[in-house]
Amino acid sequence: MKKMLRTWGLLAFACLWSLTACEEKDSADPAVDLSFTSAEFLLDDLDALSKPHLRDGCDKKQFNIHTVATAQTERHTLAYILPMLQLQATQAGSIRDYAQEHQRTTANPRGSISIIHQEILMKANAERDILLKAYNDNRISFAQLEERLQVLHDRVEAELRNHERKQEHMQVLRSQRSALFQNIESVLDREQLHQWTSWRRSIPS
């Protein structure tokens, strides 16, 4: 009788331990931000980086650009789609690791693009200063100043978009974006992957 009770006791303990292990496996890892809003989950707005909006550059203001560092449309962010997938802790942890690696591998090309933009702007504003001096010295008319500033504007805008070294960095960013998405897809189950694929098709590539 005692042997039987001991056996039942061991079985009960084993069942309880198994249930506890399952709960621990499925519970959220407190180290993972399940809202996916922390810095490592930010996505660059690749279109804005590729085609920055050139502004000003008139007789009153220097050339400047407006670039959006991260996706501004909520639907285009990982913070929009990842919480909808109801990820398990192990999935969320893997995606966090992929996102952190993505941030590390894209830091240099992002920085290089920023430097290229600033170099182009500095050169453009130096040329603008020369044109303004010519106007202030009465060597060109205001109409000529406006015309030449517009020509300069168009040339600088094209350079911001088509700069050869920048295109190489943009290629790296797009390649790393593709790698990040493929890594995320590798840990999703069939239903999650279906939701993810529908979202991915709805956002800019």
Side-chain angles (χ1 to χ4, degrees):
M1 184 66 179
K2 288 183 179 180
K3 186 175 181 180
M4 184 177 296
L5 288 173
R6 182 180 299 172
T7 301
W8 281 107
L10 290 173
L11 287 173
F13 175 80
C15 290
L16 180 60
W17 181 87
S18 177
L19 289 171
T20 303
C22 289
E23 288 175 358
E24 289 177 352
K25 180 180 179 181
D26 292 338
S27 64
D29 179 352
V32 179
D33 174 14
L34 292 179
S35 67
F36 301 101
T37 56
S38 54
E40 64 260 33
F41 297 109
L42 294 177
L43 288 178
D44 295 315
D45 188 329
L46 298 183
D47 286 339
L49 283 175
S50 177
K51 302 174 182 178
H53 174 61
L54 181 63
R55 61 184 183 184
D56 300 329
C58 60
D59 60 306
K60 301 295 183 183
K61 295 181 179 180
Q62 290 188 327
F63 286 107
N64 202 351
I65 58 174
H66 174 67
T67 56
V68 182
T70 54
Q72 294 297 294
T73 303
E74 181 184 359
R75 184 178 175 81
H76 296 171
T77 65
L78 292 178
Y80 174 85
I81 183 59
L82 292 179
M84 298 175 63
L85 302 181
Q86 298 182 350
L87 299 165
Q88 299 296 328
T90 52
Q91 293 176 305
S94 295
I95 291 173
R96 175 195 55 196
D97 293 341
Y98 295 143
Q100 289 174 342
E101 178 63 19
H102 177 260
Q103 290 297 326
R104 285 192 292 271
T105 55
T106 57
N108 284 339
R110 283 200 310 270
S112 296
I113 289 173
S114 179
I115 291 172
I116 289 170
H117 285 172
Q118 293 307 313
E119 289 175 345
I120 292 172
L121 288 176
M122 286 178 63
K123 182 180 176 181
N125 284 318
E127 292 186 47
R128 172 184 172 273
D129 289 343
I130 292 173
L131 291 174
L132 284 174
K133 188 176 188 309
Y135 168 69
N136 290 329
D137 292 344
N138 296 316
R139 288 185 281 114
I140 60 174
S141 67
F142 185 71
Q144 289 174 315
L145 173 63
E146 286 190 316
E147 180 182 357
R148 295 181 188 185
L149 284 175
Q150 184 60 53
V151 171
L152 179 59
H153 177 283
D154 294 343
R155 196 188 80 217
V156 172
E157 189 169 58
E159 189 174 0
L160 285 167
R161 296 185 177 195
N162 303 321
H163 190 282
E164 185 176 355
R165 282 191 293 117
K166 175 183 173 178
Q167 293 305 309
E168 294 173 0
H169 296 310
M170 287 302 307
Q171 186 175 357
V172 172
L173 290 180
R174 295 188 186 282
S175 175
Q176 291 299 326
R177 170 70 59 83
S178 178
L180 170 64
F181 283 3
Q182 288 177 12
N183 283 334
I184 291 175
E185 290 164 8
S186 71
V187 301
L188 302 181
D189 63 29
R190 182 177 297 181
E191 182 177 345
Q192 291 166 335
L193 186 58
H194 176 74
Q195 287 181 278
W196 168 270
T197 302
S198 295
W199 168 80
R200 185 173 177 178
R201 288 172 179 166
S202 72
I203 66 171
S205 58

PDB file of all heavy atoms in Angstrom, residues 146 175 178 196:
ATOM      1  N   GLU A 146      17.265  84.018 -58.888  1.00  0.00           N
ATOM      2  CA  GLU A 146      16.234  82.987 -58.698  1.00  0.00           C
ATOM      3  C   GLU A 146      16.395  81.849 -59.701  1.00  0.00           C
ATOM      4  O   GLU A 146      16.251  80.675 -59.352  1.00  0.00           O
ATOM      5  CB  GLU A 146      14.842  83.617 -58.831  1.00  0.00           C
ATOM      6  CG  GLU A 146      14.433  84.472 -57.645  1.00  0.00           C
ATOM      7  CD  GLU A 146      12.977  84.868 -57.720  1.00  0.00           C
ATOM      8  OE1 GLU A 146      12.532  85.260 -58.825  1.00  0.00           O
ATOM      9  OE2 GLU A 146      12.289  84.774 -56.684  1.00  0.00           O
ATOM     10  N   SER A 175      19.271  45.267 -48.363  1.00  0.00           N
ATOM     11  CA  SER A 175      19.647  43.865 -48.181  1.00  0.00           C
ATOM     12  C   SER A 175      19.465  43.437 -46.730  1.00  0.00           C
ATOM     13  O   SER A 175      18.949  42.342 -46.448  1.00  0.00           O
ATOM     14  CB  SER A 175      21.097  43.665 -48.619  1.00  0.00           C
ATOM     15  OG  SER A 175      21.528  42.350 -48.355  1.00  0.00           O
ATOM     16  N   SER A 178      15.785  43.004 -45.897  1.00  0.00           N
ATOM     17  CA  SER A 178      15.306  41.720 -46.402  1.00  0.00           C
ATOM     18  C   SER A 178      15.742  40.581 -45.485  1.00  0.00           C
ATOM     19  O   SER A 178      14.959  39.670 -45.184  1.00  0.00           O
ATOM     20  CB  SER A 178      15.821  41.493 -47.825  1.00  0.00           C
ATOM     21  OG  SER A 178      15.401  40.242 -48.316  1.00  0.00           O
ATOM     22  N   TRP A 196       1.729  37.890 -41.200  1.00  0.00           N
ATOM     23  CA  TRP A 196       2.937  38.656 -41.488  1.00  0.00           C
ATOM     24  C   TRP A 196       3.054  38.957 -42.986  1.00  0.00           C
ATOM     25  O   TRP A 196       3.353  40.078 -43.394  1.00  0.00           O
ATOM     26  CB  TRP A 196       4.160  37.885 -41.006  1.00  0.00           C
ATOM     27  CG  TRP A 196       5.460  38.428 -41.489  1.00  0.00           C
ATOM     28  CD1 TRP A 196       6.125  38.091 -42.641  1.00  0.00           C
ATOM     29  CD2 TRP A 196       6.278  39.426 -40.849  1.00  0.00           C
ATOM     30  NE1 TRP A 196       7.296  38.797 -42.749  1.00  0.00           N
ATOM     31  CE2 TRP A 196       7.407  39.627 -41.667  1.00  0.00           C
ATOM     32  CE3 TRP A 196       6.153  40.151 -39.665  1.00  0.00           C
ATOM     33  CZ2 TRP A 196       8.413  40.527 -41.343  1.00  0.00           C
ATOM     34  CZ3 TRP A 196       7.164  41.052 -39.332  1.00  0.00           C
ATOM     35  CH2 TRP A 196       8.270  41.237 -40.162  1.00  0.00           C
TER      36      TRP A 196
END
